[in-house]
Amino acid sequence: MKNEKLKELLQEMTLKEKIFQLVQIPGRFFLENTEDTGTAVEDSLTPEELHLTGCTLSVYGAKDLRSIQEDCVKNHPHHIPILFMADIIHGYRTIYPMPLAQGAMFDDDLTEKLCAMAAEEMRLGGVHVTFAPMLDLVRDARWGRIMESTGEDPMLNCRLAKATVKGFRAGEDEEPGKQGVASCIKHFAAYGAAEAGRDYTNTEVSEHTLREYYLKSYKAAIDSGADMVMTSFNTLNGMPATGNRWLMKQVLRKEWGFDGVLISDWGAIGEMVNHGVCKDLREAAKLAIENGVDIDMCSLAYARNLEDLVLSGEVDEALVDESCMRVLKLKNKLGLFEDPYRGADAAAEETNILSAEHRALARRAVTESLVLLKNDGGKEKLLPLGKGEKLAFVGPYAQSRELHSMWAIAGREEDCISIRAAAEEAASEEGFAAEFAPGAGMTRREDLATDSQESAIEKVRHGSYEPALAPDAEAEKLLAEAVKAAGRADKVIVCIGEHRRMSGEGASRTDLTIPEPQMKLLESVYAVNKNIVTVVFGGRPLDLRKVCMYSKAVMFAWMPGTEGGHGILDVLTGKCDPSGALSVTMPYCVGQAPICYNHYSTGRAKPYDTEYPIFISAYIDTPTGPLFPFGYGLSYTEFAVSEVKLTTESAVRACGTLTKAEACITNKGEREGTAVVQLYIRDDVSSTIRPVKELKGYQRISLAPGETKKAVFEITEEMLAFVNANNEFAAEAGSFTVYIGLDSDTQNSAKFTLE
Ligand code: BGC
């Protein structure tokens, strides 16, 4: 439809019709209450209002969505189609590794392919917009939503944001309005800085730090064509993000020129009443629309108050028109006026999703995202597994198919390949014998939630120490079976970790260890067999101190998705080299959180050789550094990185390349392998404090045994720029240290001067 036509349509719409384009309600209300729509939502939308509603969320599947669309288009006075949105975070039905694991792939191209695959499945399932990518920079492992982000580094997040948006839009340029899906980036802004890692809480982040770390990835996604932005639940510097004028008007709309649709997070307009900055939903609706929030997700603040606010002259109708136009434009861009069903196809949904090709791509992603943290033993290394070995796979994850994060909303457990299923498939080809025993349950009740937080506190204040409960006979039996199997094996693969409900929204933790029954299993196995490979599952970085001490090899598997078992076996058996690198720092213990490699320089940094950490920026009771740094990940082969060479050691300002940093990477081992080669830069002296080191480039380089390849990184003036003391984004003359290595701890460097 031409823009002129859209304007005419807007003029023909009543105020109420325009307002209802700004209302989003869960799609199930259309399905469950067709007979009784009067009670569809708490505040009762009438059947007429349901048909006026602009968009839904969280329903998917071509059959249902086509029937909702048919009903709405038929009954809407102007036959305006409805927009279907859903949280497709790491796949629709073919679930690939969770976003933090995607970060660990350091692979833009594969990320783009995975998102294009998800978009294809979504489109067949009738979904138009995905609430992804989540671009919150994360540093605090206690925060359950850390799993939804690609990690702690602004540059990695920016590159993957671009790849994700591009992947979701795949085919759009060739066939506008027919292919791909729109992305709604979230959560604007700085949700990842939530105080003490607690969800839905406050953040205090200076403008300088926001611009230097937190805002970059949202901007990158917008520049790559993201059509929507979602506000966040947190407050930012004293104001809920959803009513934050500076964020939305100044940064998003004015500085970045974003003219797409801004949607609140779920109920977040209404939550401004709980935050105490609005007296009631009416005030909240006014604050949100005045700050440019176009769609109200699920609070009904707009549905019940905007009309009156406009009629009483408190809100300018032009604001409603502006927001409504943005929504209509998005519908138009997606081609919904021409084809409201837009690719939703129940038959193709049955055959095309979860196809062999899709599964193969998800499997490859698992192998690229697994991070090998430890593989000790010289020639006696436990991994890869060898031919003819007798293996015991123990632990709840040895046979669990709960391999999705909580955000795989359309994913199904029954589609997942467990480690057991994959090992049974691989056994004859790889020539190993395997037995399986769960050994322990995944969690105890208290690992997920205490029934009453008050009573937990009361118990400690006024109760007395309760001796351990009598042993649970069932648990003891499980454990004994696993220990027996472990005792008979050459090697034991212990598959343990967090349950998927222990991370994600609302799942903050104060303890980063693996649930106790599983740790007991690991300890008990250690008592009978020291040849332990531990495969750890988790939605966040975990405290792996004990895991590392009990295991000769440790592999971090995140929440790997549908093809988890296959991908893990591919790596365990050595069919694929492990090539993931940590997208987030793995702390030594929970007390270090928040922690990141790219922190600002301090006045009293810990020198490398200090033994007595006092009067310096360090802990006196634990190491200050992490257990494993950002960027870390081993291979089955060994790589050597040569000294850093610069094509020129000083340069004057230029818009192109200032210099090139190069290093040769050699595969010194006897197997093929892939290294994630990383470029970091430190600004040695500048007008404001700077990070001790910042990632500025990365490349995945595959090498045959004995092969050497050169990693070449171009350094541009923009890469050296930062928000300086005058609040300008610019590079300052002076010296820079340029590092090339295989993790963020690398000291392999050379000096460069910007004249
Ligand atoms: C989450 C968002 C999500 C929305 C819709 C909210 O609770 O914070 O990330 O997109 O629900 O499901």
Side-chain angles (χ1 to χ4, degrees), residues 1 109 157 249 297 321 329 353 384 526 532 629 651 684 701 730:
M1 190 186 279
D109 183 53
N157 291 351
K249 286 289 199 192
M297 186 197 291
D321 286 359
K329 275 189 180 161
I353 61 174
Y526 183 77
I532 297 177
D684 296 327
I701 298 188

Side-chain angles (χ1 to χ4, degrees), residues 57 87 131 145 186-187 230 233 265-266 297 407 505:
L57 78 163
D87 290 273
F131 293 133
R145 303 198 77 167
K186 63 191 188 184
H187 305 85
M230 186 188 293
F233 286 133
D265 200 346
W266 182 297
M297 186 197 291
W407 279 115
E505 184 173 346

Side-chain angles (χ1 to χ4, degrees), residues 24 57-58 86-87 89 130-132 134 145 148 184 186-187 191 199-200 230-233 264-267 297-298 407 409 505:
Q24 181 172 60
L57 78 163
S58 301
D87 290 273
I89 309 283
T130 173
F131 293 133
M134 188 272 223
R145 303 198 77 167
E148 286 177 65
C184 175
K186 63 191 188 184
H187 305 85
Y191 190 21
D199 217 344
Y200 314 119
M230 186 188 293
T231 69
S232 55
F233 286 133
S264 77
D265 200 346
W266 182 297
M297 186 197 291
C298 301
W407 279 115
I409 59 163
E505 184 173 346

Side-chain angles (χ1 to χ4, degrees), residues 26 29 94 138 212 268 298 301 345 421 449 458 494 512 523 577 666 695:
F29 290 120
T94 311
V138 290
E212 280 289 278
C298 301
D345 183 335
E458 277 307 293
V494 180
L512 300 180
E523 274 171 44
D577 188 51
T666 303
L695 183 72

Side-chain angles (χ1 to χ4, degrees), residues 468-694:
L469 297 173
D472 171 343
E474 193 51 36
E476 294 295 316
K477 192 167 152 252
L478 269 187
L479 182 64
E481 280 167 6
V483 172
K484 236 188 196 166
R488 289 191 286 261
D490 299 323
K491 292 178 184 171
V492 193
I493 322 298
V494 180
C495 309
I496 54 177
E498 281 190 318
H499 182 256
R500 68 194 196 94
R501 290 259 156 222
M502 293 171 78
S503 62
E505 184 173 346
S508 296
R509 296 183 66 196
T510 56
D511 176 10
L512 300 180
T513 58
I514 292 171
E516 200 249 358
Q518 299 187 56
M519 287 308 291
K520 188 168 166 197
L521 167 68
L522 178 60
E523 274 171 44
S524 312
V525 168
Y526 183 77
V528 298
N529 192 334
K530 306 276 181 286
N531 286 333
I532 297 177
V533 175
T534 302
V535 181
V536 182
F537 292 75
R540 52 159 60 79
L542 292 167
D543 175 345
L544 296 177
R545 283 175 293 170
K546 279 195 175 168
V547 170
C548 286
M549 288 193 291
Y550 286 123
S551 320
K552 286 189 181 158
V554 178
M555 180 159 334
F556 206 78
W558 317 97
M559 285 286 141
T562 313
E563 284 292 311
H566 279 146
I568 290 167
L569 259 292
D570 287 344
V571 175
L572 288 176
T573 56
K575 226 177 181 174
C576 298
D577 188 51
S579 59
L582 290 176
S583 50
V584 73
T585 299
M586 196 67 77
Y588 182 83
C589 61
V590 68
Q592 293 182 329
I595 183 171
C596 57
Y597 84 93
N598 48 358
H599 54 83
Y600 289 128
S601 312
T602 74
R604 295 196 183 190
K606 180 180 182 295
Y608 267 77
D609 52 0
T610 302
E611 267 183 31
Y612 189 54
I614 203 153
F615 305 130
I616 57 168
S617 180
Y619 298 107
I620 58 165
D621 57 348
T622 66
T624 309
L627 193 57
F628 298 104
F630 173 87
Y632 182 88
L634 302 172
S635 157
Y636 289 150
T637 185
E638 238 181 85
F639 301 110
V641 181
S642 70
E643 280 182 4
V644 179
K645 282 219 176 89
L646 297 169
T647 48
T648 165
E649 282 164 17
S650 77
V652 291
R653 289 166 196 276
C655 39
T657 307
L658 298 173
T659 185
K660 285 183 190 163
E662 306 173 347
C664 289
I665 322 298
T666 303
N667 180 350
K668 296 197 313 175
E670 283 151 22
R671 303 174 51 94
E672 192 189 336
T674 301
V676 177
V677 184
Q678 301 153 43
L679 169 81
Y680 294 89
I681 299 184
R682 178 190 177 107
D683 191 343
D684 296 327
V685 182
S686 45
S687 63
T688 63
I689 51 163
R690 306 287 344 269
V692 290
K693 214 180 246 178
E694 291 178 291

